[in-house]
Amino acid sequence: MRSLAFYGKGGVGKSTVVANLAAALGQGGQRVLQVGCDPKRDSSRNLTATYPPVALMDLLAAGRRDLTAADLLMDGGPGVTCIEAGGPQPGIGCAGRALGRLFEELEELRIFARGWDYVLYDVLGDVVCGGFAVPLRTGHADEVYIVTSGELMSLFAANNIARGVRSYAAEGEVRMGGLIANVKDLAADRPLIDRFAARLGTRVVHYLEWSPAVRRAERRRRAVVRDAPADPWALGLGRLAAALAAAPALHVPEPMDDRELDRFLDEAARELEADEERAAERATAPRPADPPAPAARAARRRASPARGNGRRR
C-alpha cells in the first residue's frame, strides 16, 4: 500500500487534483482510499453521490458512539472509497484536532487493513502545523506531494510545506515526492516553477494547465476524468497518475529560509523579465529579406533584355 499526502496553498486546486487522481487510479484498476483532511468536508464532493458527505466529526457531535466502517466509508465511484474527517463549525474549536481523532478511528476500525493500493490524504494547510501534520507525524503518509502554481503566494506556501517535510523526514520515513504544478498559463508559469523546483532540490512530477472542462465538471459535481475524459486536462491527469505509479524518486527537500526565498524570487523575477524582453525584441526586430527563390530568379532573367554572350563575331 502506498500512502501519499497532498498539501498546497488554499485555492491552488489541490482537492480537484486529488479527487481526479483518485478517479484516474480507480479507472486503472487500483483500489483507492481518499481521506479528506479538511473541516470543509469537500474533498469527496466530485466523487460521491452522498451530499452532504458523511463526516466523522459530525457523527461524534451528534452523539454517535461505537462507529463502524460502514458509518464512515462512502462510495467514490469505480475503485474509489472516500472518508471525510470534517471539523468544528467555522470559528469554533481547532480543526487540526479532528485529524488526530480520525486516525484513531481508522486504526481502531482496521480500515487501513482492507487491501488498498493507494491511500491519498487531501490535507488542508499552507504550513504543516501540528494538527495538519498528523499524516506525517504518525507515519501514515510516506510520500508528500505539493500542489502549486506559479503565483508567488503559492510558492511561499510550497516552501513552508517543504520545511515541514524536512523536519519530519529527520524523525521518520516520510519523504517528498515532488511538486505537481496546476497552472493557468503553462508558458508563463513553467520557467519560474522549474527554477523553484531545482532550488528546493526536488522535481516537478507533472504540469497541468487549466481547462474550462474543470469548471464544467465541478458544476456537475463530477471528476473531470469521468465527465470529459478526452479533455487535455483529463489526459494530463492520466499522465500524472502514470507518473506517480512509476517508481517514486523520494527525497528530502532543501527549502529556503525567508531571506533566501525572497532573494531567490527577486532574482528569478529579474531574470525572467530579461528573458521576456529579449524574446520581445527578437519578435519585433526586422527580418532580413529572404533571397529570391530559384524560380523567381529564372523568371526575372527571362523578362530582362537579351544580353550578348560576350564573344566577337
Side-chain angles (χ1 to χ4, degrees):
M1 180 180 76
R2 286 179 60 187
S3 300
L4 287 61
F6 296 83
Y7 287 84
K9 181 183 180 300
V12 78
K14 170 178 54 63
S15 293
T16 298
V17 170
V18 175
N20 278 274
L21 176 60
L25 289 169
Q27 290 175 176
Q30 304 297 312
R31 296 189 67 228
V32 183
L33 175 66
Q34 178 171 318
V35 183
C37 304
D38 188 324
K40 297 193 302 296
R41 57 180 68 77
D42 61 350
S43 179
S44 60
R45 184 178 186 276
N46 296 328
L47 294 174
T48 71
T50 305
Y51 190 82
V54 175
L56 169 66
M57 298 307 290
D58 290 346
L59 295 175
L60 296 178
R64 291 286 304 276
R65 298 295 181 267
D66 299 323
L67 296 173
T68 67
D71 293 323
L72 298 176
L73 299 177
M74 295 178 287
D75 181 9
V80 182
T81 301
C82 300
I83 291 179
E84 292 280 3
Q89 296 180 11
I92 302 175
C94 174
R97 293 178 62 184
L99 293 189
R101 184 58 187 274
L102 173 67
F103 282 98
E104 290 175 6
E105 293 290 341
L106 296 180
E107 291 287 358
E108 185 174 330
L109 297 174
R110 296 184 54 79
I111 287 177
F112 293 119
R114 291 185 164 226
W116 312 107
D117 297 302
Y118 288 87
V119 178
L120 309 182
Y121 298 101
D122 178 10
V123 191
L124 170 72
D126 290 3
V127 296
V128 188
C129 69
F132 297 115
V134 168
L136 312 185
R137 192 178 68 242
T138 59
H140 286 92
D142 301 320
E143 307 172 31
V144 176
Y145 295 88
I146 302 174
V147 182
T148 187
S149 70
E151 297 174 2
L152 297 188
M153 293 301 101
S154 182
L155 297 177
F156 269 105
N159 188 69
N160 270 337
I161 295 163
R163 289 184 191 177
V165 175
R166 183 174 62 179
S167 296
Y168 286 108
E171 302 173 6
E173 297 300 320
V174 65
R175 294 291 185 270
M176 187 161 169
L179 305 177
I180 298 171
N182 190 35
V183 302
K184 295 178 181 177
D185 186 336
L186 182 58
D189 289 344
R190 183 165 193 158
L192 178 56
I193 297 175
D194 282 344
R195 291 175 188 234
F196 178 75
R199 177 59 184 80
L200 257 61
T202 188
R203 62 179 181 136
V204 180
V205 180
H206 195 70
Y207 275 93
L208 295 165
E209 187 170 27
W210 188 84
S211 163
V214 177
R215 182 188 296 119
R216 289 194 295 268
E218 291 188 340
R219 286 173 178 167
R220 299 165 183 161
R221 294 189 64 243
R222 289 173 56 84
V224 186
V225 297
R226 295 173 181 169
D227 191 66
D231 184 81
W233 197 91
L235 296 175
L237 217 297
R239 290 190 289 272
L240 169 61
L244 291 178
L250 301 180
H251 53 277
V252 178
E254 294 295 333
M256 296 167 267
D257 63 30
D258 290 339
R259 291 181 182 275
E260 289 175 315
L261 178 61
D262 203 44
R263 186 163 55 249
F264 165 81
L265 292 174
D266 282 346
E267 292 174 355
R270 286 194 296 270
E271 292 173 6
L272 291 172
E273 287 177 0
D275 291 343
E276 291 171 357
E277 290 175 1
R278 285 191 289 269
E281 290 173 359
R282 288 194 298 269
T284 58
R287 297 179 59 186
D290 294 331
R297 290 198 297 269
R300 283 202 295 272
R301 283 198 298 270
R302 288 195 298 271
S304 62
R307 296 180 181 174
N309 58 16
R311 293 182 296 176
R312 289 186 177 181
R313 293 184 178 275

